[in-house]
Amino acid sequence: METQAQGLLESEPLQGVDDDSVASADFSSMLSEEEKEELKAELVQLEDEITTLRQVLSAKERHLVEIKQKLGMNLMNELKQNFSKSWHDMQTTTAYKKTHETLSHAGQKATAAFSNVGTAISKKFGDMSYSIRHSISMPAMRRK
């Protein structure tokens, strides 16, 4: 009994059996007429329940659309709200915060580097300007 119960509780799938062969297998010969009738009745009941659920869902979806129309909600407003919510949700993630922090820090470093380069270039131009003005003002240096 224990090995039979063990087999029923195994979580591993059957080896060497595919879905098509299981679906095409004829299990009806193993069932009594009474079991067949019970299963047929259950099948009909399930199909009826599914049909009813589909009808209820369809009615609820129509009602939802009517309410949204009455409230002035349309697809564009919903898209805007979904986008805003998604953007907010994304901004609150740890990954976004870390990326934003890293890029902000890199931007500050790049700004400082460009500022230093600009200062160095300005200083060089200033030195060159002084050198040119100095050589123009000293005629003796021009003649050499």
Side-chain angles (χ1 to χ4, degrees):
M1 173 76 176
E2 188 175 311
T3 56
Q4 185 181 14
Q6 190 75 14
L8 294 174
L9 298 176
E10 287 184 16
S11 61
E12 295 296 318
L14 294 174
Q15 299 297 322
V17 179
D18 63 5
D19 291 337
D20 292 335
S21 64
V22 172
S24 64
D26 185 16
F27 294 108
S28 63
S29 61
M30 292 192 241
L31 300 172
S32 69
E33 287 301 315
E34 185 180 325
E35 290 172 323
K36 287 180 186 177
E37 291 303 317
E38 286 176 9
L39 288 175
K40 285 179 183 178
E42 185 178 353
L43 180 64
V44 168
Q45 182 184 0
L46 284 172
E47 288 173 342
D48 288 345
E49 288 176 4
I50 290 170
T51 301
T52 302
L53 289 171
R54 284 185 177 142
Q55 291 170 348
V56 169
L57 178 61
S58 178
K60 288 189 180 276
E61 287 175 335
R62 282 192 303 271
H63 186 62
L64 175 77
V65 169
E66 290 171 4
I67 290 173
K68 285 183 176 182
Q69 286 175 344
K70 287 178 183 178
L71 292 173
M73 298 172 125
N74 60 23
L75 182 61
M76 188 54 99
N77 287 340
E78 286 186 53
L79 288 174
K80 286 179 187 176
Q81 288 173 351
N82 288 343
F83 180 76
S84 294
K85 183 182 181 318
S86 298
W87 179 249
H88 178 266
D89 291 348
M90 194 229 4
Q91 285 179 320
T92 58
T93 62
T94 305
Y96 177 85
K97 288 178 182 176
K98 286 182 180 178
T99 303
H100 182 268
E101 189 177 299
T102 302
L103 291 176
S104 178
H105 185 67
Q108 290 171 356
K109 291 238 180 210
T111 300
F114 285 131
S115 177
N116 289 340
V117 168
T119 302
I121 291 172
S122 295
K123 187 175 183 210
K124 277 289 183 192
F125 280 137
D127 291 348
M128 287 174 44
S129 174
Y130 174 77
S131 178
I132 291 171
R133 274 186 279 144
H134 183 67
S135 63
I136 290 174
S137 65
M138 302 199 120
M141 290 184 85
R142 279 186 285 163
R143 291 187 195 148
K144 286 187 178 181

